[in-house]
Amino acid sequence: MTIQAVLFDLDGTLLDRDTSLLRFVHDQYERIGALQLVQKDVFCERFIELDQHGYVWKDKVYEQLVAEFAIPDLDASFLLQDYISRFPQHCIAFPHLHETLGQLQQQGIKLGLISNGFGQFQYANLQALGIAHFFEAVLISEWEGLRKPDPAIFQRALSKLRVPPEQAIYVGDHPENDVRASRAVGMKAVWKRSDQFAAAAEADAVIADLAEVIGIALPAVQLRRQASRDLDFI
């Protein structure tokens, strides 16, 4: 059946969150003098550990850091606001992000995004990557009042795109929130490999690079590109 839409997760799928976060925390340490009472590598490593790949919100992370390192005259809420306002400046995309979205859009594929998280923060990250204009539907859990893996958030996105689930692909890195949840509503699920999770056995396809989505959503386009490459060698 022809694919009409491709929907994506954000963190760990389009946004290289681990690299982005490491860049941010190093920058925050250098900018805020009170943090420098703690050795840099110790502070940064503990921050990353407490963050748990984004599954612990930063208010808890900063409260723990300030208490654990007994940092004087520094409020956790100040560090949190600094994170909210400055993290987007450090957002790094995974390779071939713009090319993949552009190719899909040029071929008439509708694009959507479903992300758990805080609305304005996640949307700011989307804008920082320079890809907000590609998407016809952007659903962020805080704004929707729903979170993955709730099937309702996938169904709402499909409704906004006016595409039936069997003609849509969902691409994400989380085996439960992305792969199993999207397949449960009838979508095809593509697992983007992640060192954080074990392989998603239920996925319809597995990719290591975003560019591979093109061949899955548009097999005819992939065949034409391969044929063109073959002609180059004739």
Side-chain angles (χ1 to χ4, degrees):
M1 185 171 289
T2 303
I3 297 300
Q4 294 188 27
V6 179
L7 296 88
F8 294 88
D9 170 51
L10 179 58
D11 294 343
T13 302
L14 306 181
L15 170 68
D16 184 347
R17 188 183 176 280
D18 289 348
T19 300
S20 302
L21 188 67
L22 192 59
R23 279 172 46 121
F24 165 78
V25 71
H26 278 268
D27 176 68
Q28 186 179 57
Y29 179 91
E30 295 292 343
R31 287 186 293 102
I32 299 175
L35 295 177
Q36 294 164 23
L37 296 173
V38 183
Q39 190 174 343
K40 183 176 182 178
D41 59 344
V42 173
F43 175 82
C44 294
E45 287 173 13
R46 185 59 174 146
F47 182 104
I48 297 299
E49 181 181 17
L50 291 171
D51 173 73
Q52 294 183 28
H53 296 280
Y55 290 96
V56 176
W57 182 235
K58 299 314 152 296
D59 56 351
K60 304 300 182 187
V61 172
Y62 284 122
E63 286 170 7
Q64 180 67 26
L65 288 169
V66 169
E68 197 171 293
F69 293 124
I71 304 172
D73 304 320
L74 191 59
D75 189 77
S77 62
F78 168 78
L79 294 172
L80 175 62
Q81 288 305 311
D82 183 73
Y83 169 78
I84 292 170
S85 65
R86 289 183 177 263
F87 179 82
Q89 299 173 20
H90 300 276
C91 285
I92 298 293
F94 280 110
H96 307 123
L97 171 58
H98 288 82
E99 299 93 321
T100 298
L101 297 180
Q103 178 73 60
L104 292 170
Q105 189 177 68
Q106 287 169 17
Q107 296 297 322
I109 298 291
K110 296 180 178 182
L111 300 177
L113 182 134
I114 306 174
S115 174
N116 286 347
F118 290 95
Q120 191 54 53
F121 179 76
Q122 290 293 74
Y123 197 76
N125 294 337
L126 192 66
Q127 290 177 307
L129 293 175
I131 59 173
H133 64 284
F134 283 111
F135 298 101
E136 295 184 38
V138 173
L139 287 78
I140 302 173
S141 62
E142 181 192 22
W143 287 348
E144 302 301 322
L146 296 165
R147 290 181 60 83
K148 296 182 295 182
D150 190 329
I153 197 167
F154 294 91
Q155 292 161 346
R156 185 176 295 178
L158 291 167
S159 177
K160 290 187 178 212
L161 292 172
R162 301 178 300 282
V163 172
E166 63 271 16
Q167 295 183 355
I169 291 171
Y170 191 82
V171 184
D173 68 307
H174 197 291
E176 181 64 37
N177 293 347
D178 297 324
V179 173
R180 294 190 186 96
S182 59
R183 291 193 86 230
V185 300
M187 302 172 71
K188 295 185 183 302
V190 174
W191 181 58
K192 185 173 184 297
R193 290 187 185 277
S194 169
D195 293 337
Q196 183 185 351
F197 302 110
E202 296 180 15
D204 295 288
V206 177
I207 63 171
D209 188 292
L210 287 170
E212 296 174 71
V213 175
I214 297 170
I216 297 168
L218 300 163
V221 171
Q222 184 67 15
L223 288 173
R224 286 199 298 272
R225 292 174 68 186
Q226 182 62 53
S228 176
R229 285 195 293 269
D230 291 343
L231 286 172
D232 290 339
F233 292 99
I234 295 175

Short mmCIF file of all heavy atoms in Angstrom, two decimals, residues 3 20 23 28-29 31 43 56 67 71 82 96-98 115 150 157 159 166 171 173 177-178 187 192 215:
data_model
loop_
_atom_site.label_atom_id
_atom_site.label_comp_id
_atom_site.label_asym_id
_atom_site.label_seq_id
_atom_site.Cartn_x
_atom_site.Cartn_y
_atom_site.Cartn_z
N ILE A 3 2.48 4.70 0.80
CA ILE A 3 2.67 5.49 2.01
C ILE A 3 2.34 6.95 1.71
O ILE A 3 2.86 7.54 0.76
CB ILE A 3 4.10 5.37 2.54
CG1 ILE A 3 4.40 3.92 2.94
CG2 ILE A 3 4.34 6.32 3.71
CD1 ILE A 3 3.50 3.38 4.04
N SER A 20 23.87 17.06 22.00
CA SER A 20 23.40 18.43 22.28
C SER A 20 23.49 18.74 23.77
O SER A 20 23.93 19.82 24.17
CB SER A 20 21.95 18.58 21.80
OG SER A 20 21.83 18.30 20.43
N ARG A 23 27.10 19.27 24.93
CA ARG A 23 27.55 20.61 24.52
C ARG A 23 26.99 21.68 25.45
O ARG A 23 27.70 22.59 25.87
CB ARG A 23 27.10 20.90 23.09
CG ARG A 23 27.97 20.28 22.01
CD ARG A 23 27.35 20.46 20.66
NE ARG A 23 26.87 21.81 20.44
CZ ARG A 23 27.29 22.61 19.46
NH1 ARG A 23 28.23 22.21 18.63
NH2 ARG A 23 26.78 23.82 19.31
N GLN A 28 27.33 25.62 29.99
CA GLN A 28 26.76 26.16 31.23
C GLN A 28 27.81 26.21 32.33
O GLN A 28 27.90 27.20 33.08
CB GLN A 28 25.57 25.30 31.69
CG GLN A 28 24.85 25.90 32.90
CD GLN A 28 23.66 25.07 33.33
OE1 GLN A 28 23.77 23.89 33.63
NE2 GLN A 28 22.48 25.70 33.36
N TYR A 29 28.61 25.18 32.43
CA TYR A 29 29.67 25.14 33.44
C TYR A 29 30.64 26.30 33.23
O TYR A 29 31.04 26.98 34.19
CB TYR A 29 30.42 23.81 33.36
CG TYR A 29 31.55 23.69 34.35
CD1 TYR A 29 31.35 23.15 35.62
CD2 TYR A 29 32.84 24.13 34.04
CE1 TYR A 29 32.38 23.05 36.54
CE2 TYR A 29 33.87 24.04 34.94
CZ TYR A 29 33.64 23.49 36.19
OH TYR A 29 34.68 23.40 37.09
N ARG A 31 30.11 29.17 31.77
CA ARG A 31 29.49 30.50 31.90
C ARG A 31 29.16 30.87 33.34
O ARG A 31 29.14 32.05 33.69
CB ARG A 31 28.20 30.56 31.07
CG ARG A 31 28.41 30.63 29.57
CD ARG A 31 27.10 30.83 28.84
NE ARG A 31 26.20 29.69 28.95
CZ ARG A 31 25.15 29.62 29.75
NH1 ARG A 31 24.85 30.64 30.55
NH2 ARG A 31 24.38 28.54 29.79
N PHE A 43 31.21 17.43 37.50
CA PHE A 43 29.90 18.06 37.38
C PHE A 43 29.18 17.57 36.13
O PHE A 43 28.01 17.18 36.17
CB PHE A 43 30.04 19.59 37.33
CG PHE A 43 28.74 20.29 37.09
CD1 PHE A 43 27.86 20.53 38.13
CD2 PHE A 43 28.37 20.71 35.80
CE1 PHE A 43 26.64 21.17 37.91
CE2 PHE A 43 27.16 21.35 35.57
CZ PHE A 43 26.30 21.58 36.63
N VAL A 56 14.36 12.36 33.20
CA VAL A 56 14.21 13.08 34.47
C VAL A 56 14.26 14.57 34.12
O VAL A 56 15.22 15.04 33.52
CB VAL A 56 15.34 12.74 35.47
CG1 VAL A 56 15.21 13.57 36.73
CG2 VAL A 56 15.32 11.25 35.79
N ALA A 67 22.37 20.30 45.82
CA ALA A 67 22.45 19.70 47.15
C ALA A 67 23.68 18.80 47.29
O ALA A 67 24.40 18.86 48.28
CB ALA A 67 21.18 18.90 47.43
N ILE A 71 26.66 23.59 46.46
CA ILE A 71 27.05 24.79 45.74
C ILE A 71 26.40 26.01 46.40
O ILE A 71 25.18 26.13 46.42
CB ILE A 71 26.63 24.71 44.26
CG1 ILE A 71 27.23 23.46 43.61
CG2 ILE A 71 27.07 25.96 43.51
CD1 ILE A 71 26.73 23.18 42.20
N ASP A 82 18.10 28.79 32.91
CA ASP A 82 19.22 28.90 31.99
C ASP A 82 19.17 27.75 30.98
O ASP A 82 19.42 27.96 29.78
CB ASP A 82 20.53 28.87 32.77
CG ASP A 82 21.75 29.06 31.87
OD1 ASP A 82 21.98 30.18 31.40
OD2 ASP A 82 22.46 28.07 31.63
N HIS A 96 21.90 13.91 7.75
CA HIS A 96 20.94 13.80 6.65
C HIS A 96 19.51 14.16 7.04
O HIS A 96 18.56 13.76 6.35
CB HIS A 96 20.97 12.38 6.05
CG HIS A 96 22.34 11.94 5.65
ND1 HIS A 96 22.95 10.79 6.13
CD2 HIS A 96 23.26 12.53 4.84
CE1 HIS A 96 24.15 10.68 5.61
NE2 HIS A 96 24.38 11.71 4.82
N LEU A 97 19.36 14.92 8.11
CA LEU A 97 18.01 15.30 8.56
C LEU A 97 17.30 16.14 7.50
O LEU A 97 16.20 15.79 7.05
CB LEU A 97 18.09 16.06 9.89
CG LEU A 97 16.78 16.70 10.38
CD1 LEU A 97 15.68 15.65 10.53
CD2 LEU A 97 17.00 17.45 11.68
N HIS A 98 17.89 17.26 7.12
CA HIS A 98 17.23 18.16 6.19
C HIS A 98 17.02 17.50 4.82
O HIS A 98 15.96 17.67 4.20
CB HIS A 98 18.03 19.45 6.03
CG HIS A 98 17.95 20.34 7.23
ND1 HIS A 98 18.74 20.15 8.34
CD2 HIS A 98 17.18 21.43 7.50
CE1 HIS A 98 18.47 21.07 9.24
NE2 HIS A 98 17.52 21.86 8.76
N SER A 115 6.04 14.24 19.93
CA SER A 115 7.11 14.24 20.94
C SER A 115 6.53 14.37 22.34
O SER A 115 5.63 15.19 22.57
CB SER A 115 8.07 15.40 20.66
OG SER A 115 9.04 15.50 21.69
N ASP A 150 0.31 6.46 24.64
CA ASP A 150 -1.14 6.51 24.51
C ASP A 150 -1.52 6.52 23.02
O ASP A 150 -1.08 7.39 22.27
CB ASP A 150 -1.66 7.78 25.18
CG ASP A 150 -3.18 7.80 25.31
OD1 ASP A 150 -3.86 7.23 24.44
OD2 ASP A 150 -3.69 8.41 26.26
N ALA A 157 -2.75 12.71 15.59
CA ALA A 157 -1.82 13.16 14.55
C ALA A 157 -2.27 12.69 13.17
O ALA A 157 -2.24 13.45 12.19
CB ALA A 157 -0.42 12.64 14.85
N SER A 159 -5.28 11.99 12.25
CA SER A 159 -6.47 12.75 11.91
C SER A 159 -6.12 14.12 11.35
O SER A 159 -6.71 14.58 10.36
CB SER A 159 -7.37 12.90 13.15
OG SER A 159 -8.50 13.69 12.86
N GLU A 166 -2.72 2.69 8.18
CA GLU A 166 -2.03 1.72 7.34
C GLU A 166 -1.25 2.37 6.20
O GLU A 166 -0.43 1.72 5.55
CB GLU A 166 -3.03 0.69 6.77
CG GLU A 166 -4.08 1.27 5.87
CD GLU A 166 -5.34 1.74 6.61
OE1 GLU A 166 -5.28 1.89 7.85
OE2 GLU A 166 -6.36 1.92 5.93
N VAL A 171 8.61 6.84 12.81
CA VAL A 171 10.04 6.61 13.01
C VAL A 171 10.44 7.09 14.40
O VAL A 171 10.21 8.27 14.74
CB VAL A 171 10.88 7.36 11.95
CG1 VAL A 171 12.36 7.03 12.12
CG2 VAL A 171 10.41 7.02 10.54
N ASP A 173 13.04 6.10 18.25
CA ASP A 173 14.11 5.31 18.86
C ASP A 173 13.66 4.50 20.06
O ASP A 173 14.39 3.62 20.52
CB ASP A 173 15.27 6.23 19.28
CG ASP A 173 14.88 7.14 20.43
OD1 ASP A 173 13.85 7.85 20.31
OD2 ASP A 173 15.60 7.16 21.45
N ASN A 177 7.48 3.45 23.46
CA ASN A 177 6.76 4.68 23.14
C ASN A 177 6.61 4.93 21.66
O ASN A 177 5.65 5.60 21.23
CB ASN A 177 7.46 5.88 23.78
CG ASN A 177 7.39 5.86 25.28
OD1 ASN A 177 6.64 5.10 25.88
ND2 ASN A 177 8.21 6.68 25.92
N ASP A 178 7.55 4.45 20.87
CA ASP A 178 7.54 4.71 19.44
C ASP A 178 7.14 3.48 18.62
O ASP A 178 6.18 3.53 17.86
CB ASP A 178 8.92 5.21 18.98
CG ASP A 178 9.29 6.54 19.62
OD1 ASP A 178 8.39 7.38 19.82
OD2 ASP A 178 10.48 6.75 19.94
N MET A 187 -0.02 1.61 12.33
CA MET A 187 1.03 2.22 11.52
C MET A 187 2.19 1.25 11.32
O MET A 187 2.36 0.31 12.10
CB MET A 187 1.55 3.49 12.20
CG MET A 187 0.49 4.54 12.47
SD MET A 187 1.11 5.92 13.47
CE MET A 187 2.18 6.73 12.27
N LYS A 192 14.78 3.55 14.87
CA LYS A 192 16.09 4.14 14.64
C LYS A 192 17.02 3.63 15.73
O LYS A 192 16.78 3.85 16.91
CB LYS A 192 16.03 5.67 14.66
CG LYS A 192 17.37 6.31 14.30
CD LYS A 192 17.24 7.82 14.16
CE LYS A 192 18.57 8.40 13.70
NZ LYS A 192 19.66 8.19 14.66
N GLY A 215 14.06 5.20 1.33
CA GLY A 215 13.89 3.92 0.65
C GLY A 215 12.73 3.11 1.18
O GLY A 215 12.17 2.28 0.47
#
